[in-house]
Amino acid sequence: MSNNTVTTLPVSISIEIAHSYHFVTKVFESGNQLLANLYKPWKRCLAIVDYAIYDLYGAQIQEYFKSNTISATIRRAYVPEDRKTIDTALEICRWITEFDLVRREPVLLVGGGLVTDVAGFACAIYRRSTPYIRIPTTLIGLIDASVSNRVAVNWHGLKNRLGAYHEPVHTIIDPKFLRTLPESEIRNGIAEILKITSCTHRETLELLERHGETLIETHFGQLGGGHVEDISGVADKVIRQAIQCVLDVEIPNSREKDLNRVMYFGHTWSPTLELAVTPPLLHGHAVAIDICYSATLARSLGRISSFTYTRLLGIFSRLGLALDHPMFTLDLMRKATALTIATRDGLLRATVPTKDLGTYEILPLVDDRALQEAWEMHKKEVVAYPRKGLGLEMTIDVRRVHDGTMTDLVEGEPTW
Ligand SMILES: NC(=O)c1ccc[n+]([C@@H]2O[C@H](COP(=O)([O-])OP(=O)(O)OC[C@H]3O[C@@H](n4cnc5c(N)ncnc54)[C@H](O)[C@@H]3O)[C@@H](O)[C@H]2O)c1
């Protein structure tokens, strides 16, 4: 064989990944056997629980495991956005090691998108893949972060730059947690529901248009009815449909082989903007600004009518979401455009709404002039809206600050 002969051995692997979403009410109520049955084979559970959730539900969680003769080791995690780091993920790996986790034993993650993203990432890298079960407790978690198979940490100021695709073995959806979620976080989560529904499901978008304020006020029906009859029924419909919409577009493309993703809607400029603001924007407000700018782009390119444009921005504004931020400068928009093009294989792939909403188009590239014209139009339009287009409680300083310690170890009583 001569030196320059190349021989190729092609390899192709397809792997079946199966996991489930369970809809339940009061997952930690003693009679509810769903979670207990998942941990009974192990007789123990390592639970990584958001610090606020531990304060509110910790006693109930401990009692739940105790009454089911499962020994719980609960790690209380404080993971604000500025601790969505590789160091936090490595700290979580240390907890897993200290627990002596058996190879196929699932870690339990209970919290919002921060805990499930970072601890999910720790599970992805620990022994190359460690199973986990997640229970989202925020609206963003219920309808987006915990529907996704993507787990990540921020790195060098770049949002979600280190990450993995790592499906949980089970996701348990329990909207009862929304009862204690602050109103600012409900609003924050609604942005992600508007994202998916304004492009793919007009009926659900119209439910939000009609009942959005009441859904926020009543924490998606968890605090009673407000003035709307059967607001819990509306909330249930919105949550289930939003999850279904995300699954419909994401599951066939779960390894992002196709970079033309509708889920990029609201995520073309927002990853750069979110962290550029000090203190950072809440994720949902950053996404809302991106969606509204994308709508202005669609309007300036003639993809949507003036009526549809005003209607869409009106929904965001009425629900207290941001349409704009002073840090969304022309320079930042250009920088974000360049970063996104690098991440999306040389194309912008900006999702924009079309027609009467509920449909979308992905624009492969938009030239700088068109982006600038849309940006100028956007700045002129948004000042006419309440709060000059700013959102209510739009930055992360609305969140309760923990005492600074990263975690506490709360040992469950061995009960067998
Ligand atoms: N993986 C994905 O595809 C995906 C999708 C969307 C968002 N995300 C990520 O999610 C993160 C944001 O997540 P988030 O908005 O859920 O924030 P979060 O996890 O920080 O939770 C928000 C706040 O609510 C508190 N909290 C959580 N549940 C509560 C409850 N039931 N009652 C009272 N307080 C509660 C938390 O302690 C925190 O202070 C961002 O980093 C974003 O990038 C990931």
Side-chain angles (χ1 to χ4, degrees):
M1 196 183 292
S2 77
N3 275 348
N4 60 7
T5 306
V6 175
T7 58
T8 305
L9 183 62
V11 175
S12 166
I13 300 173
S14 49
I15 302 168
E16 189 182 317
I17 300 168
H19 58 104
S20 319
Y21 294 84
H22 309 273
F23 292 80
V24 298
T25 303
K26 299 187 182 163
V27 58
F28 290 114
E29 208 163 72
S30 57
N32 201 328
Q33 286 302 293
L34 172 70
L35 186 64
N37 286 341
L38 297 174
Y39 279 96
K40 279 198 173 139
W42 311 99
K43 299 195 177 76
R44 64 176 196 157
C45 169
L46 170 62
I48 296 170
V49 177
D50 175 274
Y51 74 107
I53 288 295
Y54 186 79
D55 289 353
L56 291 161
Y57 303 91
Q60 193 190 354
I61 295 175
Q62 296 217 40
E63 184 49 39
Y64 177 80
F65 283 115
K66 189 175 171 188
S67 67
N68 283 292
T69 59
I70 294 163
S71 163
T73 296
I74 301 178
R75 289 286 194 165
R76 188 164 168 256
Y78 178 50
V79 192
E81 188 72 39
D82 60 4
R83 287 189 185 184
K84 189 178 184 182
T85 60
I86 188 76
D87 286 344
T88 305
L90 294 176
E91 178 73 359
I92 293 169
C93 290
R94 190 174 63 74
W95 301 342
I96 300 175
T97 301
E98 283 177 10
F99 184 76
D100 268 334
L101 193 88
V102 177
R103 186 72 190 247
R104 297 196 200 291
E105 188 177 6
V107 179
L108 178 64
L109 314 183
V110 188
L114 258 313
V115 165
T116 56
D117 267 20
V118 180
F121 178 68
C123 290
I125 58 177
Y126 194 83
R127 290 192 181 121
R128 297 189 190 90
S129 173
T130 287
Y132 68 107
I133 293 172
R134 67 189 166 186
I135 304 182
T137 62
T138 61
L139 188 57
I140 282 208
L142 286 168
I143 50 80
D144 198 338
S146 275
V147 187
S148 158
N149 62 349
R150 286 165 307 131
V151 289
V153 295
N154 302 333
W155 188 65
H156 283 236
L158 298 166
K159 183 91 181 142
N160 296 330
R161 187 48 64 102
L162 305 182
Y165 304 108
H166 188 44
E167 287 78 3
V169 279
H170 297 277
T171 302
I172 300 178
I173 306 284
D174 181 357
K176 274 276 168 227
F177 285 106
L178 299 180
R179 196 164 36 94
T180 53
L181 191 69
E183 200 170 293
S184 53
E185 300 293 344
I186 306 266
R187 191 178 298 114
N188 183 34
I190 276 196
E192 294 280 18
I193 309 185
L194 289 172
K195 171 193 76 180
I196 186 71
T197 57
S198 57
C199 278
T200 64
H201 212 268
R202 199 168 75 186
E203 198 188 308
T204 307
L205 177 70
E206 285 172 346
L207 280 178
L208 288 170
E209 186 175 33
R210 232 173 304 139
H211 303 299
E213 285 109 320
T214 315
L215 286 169
I216 294 176
E217 257 166 56
T218 63
H219 293 211
F220 271 67
Q222 298 302 331
L223 300 183
H227 64 278
V228 177
E229 205 187 314
D230 194 25
I231 193 72
S232 315
V234 173
D236 188 61
K237 213 169 168 180
V238 169
I239 289 174
R240 283 176 191 257
Q241 191 54 57
I243 292 173
Q244 193 57 56
C245 289
V246 175
L247 290 175
D248 287 349
V249 296
E250 288 294 271
I251 295 296
N253 188 28
S254 64
R255 291 300 179 267
E256 294 181 277
K257 282 211 161 132
D258 181 0
L259 291 178
N260 293 314
R261 295 175 63 226
V262 61
M263 292 293 278
Y264 283 154
F265 190 37
H267 292 72
T268 299
W269 297 279
S270 68
T272 307
L273 177 64
E274 181 175 332
L275 301 184
V277 176
T278 311
L281 288 170
L282 288 178
H283 184 71
H285 285 278
V287 168
I289 293 168
D290 187 315
I291 291 174
C292 293
Y293 172 63
S294 304
T296 310
L297 180 63
R299 173 73 199 118
S300 77
L301 296 175
R303 299 311 206 267
I304 51 174
S305 68
S306 162
F307 173 78
T308 301
Y309 174 59
T310 314
R311 181 182 176 195
L312 187 61
L313 263 60
I315 301 175
F316 280 82
S317 176
R318 275 205 316 283
L319 300 186
L321 286 160
L323 316 183
D324 190 29
H325 190 279
M327 281 297 288
F328 188 52
T329 59
L330 193 53
D331 275 355
L332 186 133
M333 185 275 286
R334 287 193 169 123
K335 181 179 165 199
T337 301
L339 283 168
T340 296
I341 287 176
T343 299
R344 297 181 191 166
D345 259 4
L347 294 177
L348 184 62
R349 304 175 204 266
T351 306
V352 293
T354 54
K355 298 183 195 151
D356 299 329
L357 302 176
T359 56
Y360 65 94
E361 185 180 337
I362 295 177
L363 307 174
L365 274 175
V366 183
D367 66 43
D368 181 66
R369 200 163 149 198
L371 288 171
Q372 178 174 342
E373 276 171 17
W375 180 88
E376 283 162 1
M377 177 176 166
H378 190 69
K379 294 285 168 187
K380 277 193 204 124
E381 290 283 338
V382 295
V383 286
Y385 284 83
R387 306 174 302 277
K388 294 197 170 6
L390 292 182
L392 294 172
E393 303 181 295
M394 60 193 290
T395 49
I396 63 164
D397 51 342
V398 299
R399 287 182 175 162
R400 185 158 73 90
V401 180
H402 185 45
D403 59 17
T405 44
M406 166 69 190
T407 66
D408 311 323
L409 173 63
V410 188
E411 289 285 1
E413 263 178 73
T415 46
W416 71 94

